Amino acid sequence: IFIESSFAKENDQNLAFTPSFSSILDTLHLGISTNTPVILEGMPGQGKQTAINCLANMLGFNVINIIISKTTKTEDLLGKTTIVRDNDDIMHVKLIQTKLVKVLKSIDESQKTIIVFHNLNNASAAVLSILNTIFDQNQKNLLLKDGTIVKMKKIYLVGIFNPQNGIYRRDKLPSSLIYSSIYYIVDNPQE
């Protein structure tokens, strides 16, 4: 069934609100409503990113996408430090900010932002440890490498886990990350 809504007209597109797609939307909306991170697990092409963008457009949210690859290091998420000299030849530690750090520092309470971490299946143990801290709802502050503290403002987090070769491997993620989130497995249409 194709539903032509005012949302679809504004964006010049029609979406198929299948039971699976509607279920993803419901899960995402539950996460936003309860300020609980959401992890979506499912094969590529099942509408995970489309659902995120659809809900963000309907609710007036910004979406920030962060891609995790097998070579992603903790510095790629939280920045790395470098030593710089000022005009008086005094050395200082400077943080080279990443996209994530810039977003975390710039968001104020009035902004509605969803940060999507793609390909959690590619994350190393060190990167998963950082993500575990970020996804922890009880974590109020994040310590950066230069010693500055970023307050964890009201942001909405979504992780996307793409199983490899059609094998669902939820056990790849730390249990603390799974239990601090709403974990949703997208129905596999081939089964």
Side-chain angles (χ1 to χ4, degrees):
I1 299 172
F2 287 88
I3 298 173
E4 190 169 332
S5 65
S6 59
F7 163 73
K9 288 178 186 174
E10 289 173 15
N11 292 288
D12 196 33
Q13 64 182 358
N14 289 322
L15 294 173
F17 284 82
T18 63
S20 178
F21 186 76
S22 295
S23 188
I24 297 170
L25 282 173
D26 289 344
T27 301
L28 292 168
H29 190 260
L30 177 63
I32 288 172
S33 299
T34 61
N35 197 26
T36 304
V38 174
I39 297 177
L40 300 175
E41 179 178 354
M43 297 301 293
Q46 292 184 301
K48 298 180 299 291
Q49 184 65 46
T50 303
I52 294 166
N53 292 338
C54 175
L55 188 66
N57 284 334
M58 287 191 284
L59 299 177
F61 280 61
N62 297 319
V63 177
I64 306 297
N65 293 297
I66 297 180
I67 311 296
I68 307 246
S69 72
K70 292 184 187 231
T71 60
T72 300
K73 299 184 221 82
T74 58
E75 294 86 20
D76 299 327
L77 294 178
L78 297 180
K80 62 181 178 178
T81 55
T82 185
I83 305 295
V84 295
R85 293 182 184 267
D86 64 12
N87 293 337
D88 298 327
D89 206 30
I90 298 174
M91 294 172 40
H92 298 277
V93 176
K94 179 182 176 188
L95 180 71
I96 299 173
Q97 294 186 17
T98 62
K99 181 179 185 179
L100 176 62
V101 171
K102 289 176 185 174
V103 168
L104 291 175
K105 285 186 169 186
S106 68
I107 291 176
D108 64 32
E109 294 298 325
S110 66
Q111 289 177 304
K112 297 187 243 173
T113 301
I114 300 172
I115 300 177
V116 182
F117 294 93
H118 294 269
N119 303 323
L120 293 179
N121 49 293
N122 289 334
S124 66
V127 169
L128 284 173
S129 177
I130 295 297
L131 290 175
N132 196 30
T133 302
I134 293 170
F135 273 62
D136 184 352
Q137 298 166 320
N138 298 316
Q139 188 72 32
K140 304 297 181 208
N141 298 310
L142 185 63
L143 179 64
L144 300 178
K145 291 188 175 230
D146 66 347
T148 58
I149 295 175
V150 176
K151 289 192 183 258
M152 296 296 287
K153 300 174 182 102
K154 192 171 186 179
I155 53 173
Y156 303 98
L157 302 169
V158 176
I160 295 180
F161 187 92
N162 295 318
Q164 299 297 311
N165 303 322
I167 300 170
Y168 287 66
R169 297 266 330 194
R170 178 178 175 168
D171 58 341
K172 167 116 171 62
L173 299 176
S175 59
S176 53
L177 183 62
I178 292 171
Y179 295 126
S180 67
S181 306
I182 298 170
Y183 199 96
Y184 180 77
I185 297 177
V186 180
D187 292 334
N188 190 346
Q190 297 171 2
E191 292 181 357

